[in-house]
Amino acid sequence: MINRRLLLRTSGAAAAGALGTAALSVPAGATESGGHTDPTSGVTRTLLQEHPSPAKGWKAVQTLVQIPRHKESGRHSHPGIEVGYIIRGDVLMEFDDRPPLRLRTGDPFFIPTGAIHNARNVGRVTTMMLSTYTVDETKPLVTTY
């Protein structure tokens, strides 16, 4: 049976391969790489719902993204738009092609198709973001850089 509240790690492979297949759980503990703590360790994306879009070849995906204190999502993009809302916390949304955007509890945000961005938790609690994507169904939800 498929767990509809699928826990995904912020990675293109997990997001692409695990949606609609089986539950995937990733430990939230920090990993060591070259003597430095991974800045993305503990970041999770929980699949809330996924539906075909009225537009052929597209789908709608909704997730709950959680970013622990002092952590970040890592630079990534999506094959479609992301419309989001900060449920709790403070985020510095960094972009490759524009100035960063400071987001706080209650703020909405919009990320254009293909925009490379990084959500950095700059607050004192685990950030929770509700993210809804309209994406190309043939591509991974997340591509990391």
Side-chain angles (χ1 to χ4, degrees):
M1 183 172 203
I2 296 173
N3 180 349
R4 293 184 76 51
R5 303 199 77 156
L6 182 63
L7 180 66
L8 300 176
R9 177 82 165 98
T10 305
S11 77
L19 287 178
T21 56
L24 172 67
S25 180
V26 176
T31 59
E32 295 295 322
S33 173
H36 300 288
T37 301
D38 180 358
T40 64
S41 66
V43 175
T44 61
R45 179 178 280 112
T46 304
L47 178 64
L48 301 176
Q49 57 181 329
E50 179 179 12
H51 302 281
S53 169
K56 186 177 179 180
W58 293 83
K59 66 181 175 181
V61 179
Q62 189 171 57
T63 64
L64 176 64
V65 179
Q66 296 186 70
I67 305 173
R69 287 180 63 194
H70 310 298
K71 298 294 181 175
E72 59 190 65
S73 65
R75 290 176 61 245
H76 66 283
S77 66
H78 308 284
I81 63 165
E82 176 181 359
V83 178
Y85 178 78
I86 306 298
I87 297 169
R88 177 180 71 196
D90 295 295
V91 172
L92 186 63
M93 191 69 71
E94 302 166 323
F95 299 92
D96 277 13
D97 63 348
R98 69 193 82 174
L101 179 63
R102 177 71 185 254
L103 300 167
R104 294 178 173 87
T105 301
D107 286 344
F109 62 92
F110 177 85
I111 311 277
T113 301
I116 299 173
H117 58 288
N118 178 45
R120 181 182 308 274
N121 183 340
V122 293
R124 297 180 181 186
V125 299
T126 295
T127 294
M128 294 177 68
M129 302 185 298
L130 180 64
S131 290
T132 303
Y133 311 88
T134 302
V135 293
D136 181 332
E137 66 184 8
T138 66
K139 296 182 180 173
L141 177 62
V142 178
T143 299
T144 57
Y145 297 94

